Amino acid sequence: MQYSFFSDLKEKQQRVNYFLDQKLTSYKQQNSPLGEAMNYAVLLGGKRVRPFLVYSVGKLLGVPLEKLDHSAAAIEAIHAYSLVHDDLPAMDDDTLRRGQSTCHIAFDDATAILAGDALQSFAFELITEDPSLTAQQKVAQIQILAKSAGAKGMCLGQSLDLCAENKSVTIDELEYIHLNKTGALIEASVLMGFNASDYADNLEIKHLLSDYAKAIGLAFQVQDDILDIIGSAEKIGKTVGSDENLNKSTYPKLLGLEGAKQKAQSLYQTALDTLDKLPFETIELRALADFIIHRES
Ligand code: GRG
């Protein structure tokens, strides 16, 4: 049967959404808006690119999908927290996300801050209660999540990005920001799928998967910058032109729109060339790379 990326993405979206919904139920039953805000931030849309990567990399290496649910949901919870905090008035100050009011608009600033905090704890809790991972695998998953989300990964990238507002940065500096801000969680998703497999000690496979992740992580950001200029708010579900409003350095600003498109294409090619070196069927990862540079939302 021919592979359809969009059916596969939809199946994986439904799978992780169902799992997250179940796991969040007990939080919604408390007498506080916190659980509702967590639920709102996680379950109102989103492409689920990071869970897709956890599932696809794990599957490629022979891991059953049931063994990947907790990890896929955990990385999505960290991602959702980062979006809630990124949208706050003290950061990007956005009112629209995934086509809906941002969490602090739908609730209030304090609840959104707490929902982000609690989603981060929730992610780690999910890993600890995964019945299919060994204790050693859980520690490794927790380490991947902690490193990629923290001050040597996403938070570092976010901090450097905030420092770069109203300043011009070089292309290398921009790359460093985005390898951390956007790339770290993408790489973590790939490594979590890898770590759940029997190949977890194979450094050659690990490095190839990391290189693939770095290429698509940057490509993801380049496309994000392009969409901020030529995308439609309706399709991307958030305000367009926000980079320009915040006077941020972006790939189109440094390379021109055509240059940014070429950069995305060259990162895509790097991702495919890296996959060619893996002795596995990588159709899902190839299709995801293609989706990343052609996406309109
Ligand atoms: C607040 C610590 C902290 C970090 C925020 C992720 C992030 C760091 C900021 C988001 C800003 C942004 C637009 C980054 C560009 C790439 C990106 C992560 C886009 C949003 O991710 P998608 O497109 O979102 O996967 P969906 O809604 O599909 O899940």
Side-chain angles (χ1 to χ4, degrees):
M1 206 171 66
Q2 225 195 343
Y3 175 72
S4 158
F5 171 74
F6 287 100
S7 328
D8 188 18
L9 179 63
K10 196 168 171 202
E11 262 176 47
K12 290 183 172 126
Q13 285 169 345
Q14 284 170 346
R15 181 173 187 104
V16 77
N17 287 350
Y18 178 76
F19 187 83
L20 280 161
D21 189 31
Q22 301 281 305
K23 291 287 171 186
L24 283 166
T25 305
S26 61
Y27 289 98
K28 282 185 286 178
Q29 288 158 355
Q30 298 171 124
N31 192 18
S32 134
L34 181 58
E36 288 297 335
M38 289 165 74
N39 197 68
Y40 181 88
V42 175
L43 286 169
L44 247 80
K47 296 181 288 298
R48 307 310 195 220
V49 163
R50 294 151 195 84
F52 181 95
L53 279 167
V54 175
Y55 286 128
S56 292
V57 170
K59 185 176 154 206
L60 171 95
L61 302 173
V63 185
L65 295 187
E66 311 77 72
K67 203 177 163 185
L68 297 159
D69 287 326
H70 288 75
S71 297
I75 195 86
E76 188 63 23
I78 296 275
H79 169 60
Y81 123 69
S82 81
L83 298 181
V84 171
H85 281 195
D86 184 65
D87 290 332
L88 286 167
M91 296 221 195
D92 271 7
D93 194 11
D94 265 316
T95 55
L96 198 62
R97 167 75 64 187
R98 295 170 166 174
Q100 315 281 338
S101 294
T102 47
C103 191
H104 67 280
I105 298 290
F107 294 84
D108 53 52
D109 289 5
T111 306
I113 291 170
L114 289 171
D117 293 338
L119 281 171
Q120 187 167 191
S121 302
F122 172 62
F124 291 101
E125 186 187 345
L126 282 173
I127 300 295
T128 62
E129 65 187 25
D130 187 340
S132 64
L133 296 182
T134 63
Q136 197 188 351
Q137 282 175 320
K138 286 183 192 177
V139 172
Q141 299 298 64
I142 287 171
Q143 194 176 37
I144 294 167
L145 268 187
K147 274 193 171 174
S148 64
K152 287 184 178 169
M154 181 179 70
C155 284
L156 170 67
Q158 180 75 350
S159 167
L160 293 172
D161 195 38
L162 291 169
C163 294
E165 277 174 20
N166 301 310
K167 266 195 215 153
S168 56
V169 299
T170 65
I171 195 82
D172 285 348
E173 286 166 336
L174 191 66
E175 189 153 311
Y176 185 66
I177 292 173
H178 293 310
L179 274 174
N180 284 288
K181 183 178 131 178
T182 310
L185 283 200
I186 304 258
E187 189 177 0
S189 311
V190 164
L191 292 180
M192 288 175 91
F194 165 78
N195 182 55
S197 80
D198 292 342
Y199 293 88
D201 290 332
N202 187 322
L203 291 183
E204 201 182 332
I205 294 177
K206 181 179 182 179
H207 291 146
L208 286 171
L209 287 170
S210 279
D211 288 348
Y212 162 80
K214 285 194 177 90
I216 61 162
L218 265 193
F220 194 92
Q221 181 64 48
V222 178
Q223 185 63 12
D224 215 72
D225 288 355
I226 294 173
L227 288 175
D228 196 62
I229 297 176
I230 61 167
S232 85
E234 202 185 323
K235 278 192 183 149
I236 61 176
K238 62 176 185 168
T239 327
V240 288
S242 62
D243 292 339
E244 190 61 38
N245 295 342
L246 292 166
N247 204 9
K248 282 191 178 179
S249 289
T250 63
Y251 283 94
K253 213 178 218 176
L254 295 192
L255 303 175
L257 190 54
E258 272 319 303
K261 287 182 182 170
Q262 279 167 18
K263 174 85 184 166
Q265 189 61 41
S266 129
L267 287 162
Y268 168 67
Q269 199 51 53
T270 303
L272 296 194
D273 293 347
T274 308
L275 291 179
D276 282 342
K277 295 181 192 148
L278 281 167
F280 301 103
E281 170 54 85
T282 55
I283 192 165
E284 295 179 15
L285 299 184
R286 301 175 86 82
L288 180 73
D290 182 77
F291 169 70
I292 281 177
I293 64 154
H294 291 116
R295 70 195 171 94
E296 293 181 349
S297 69

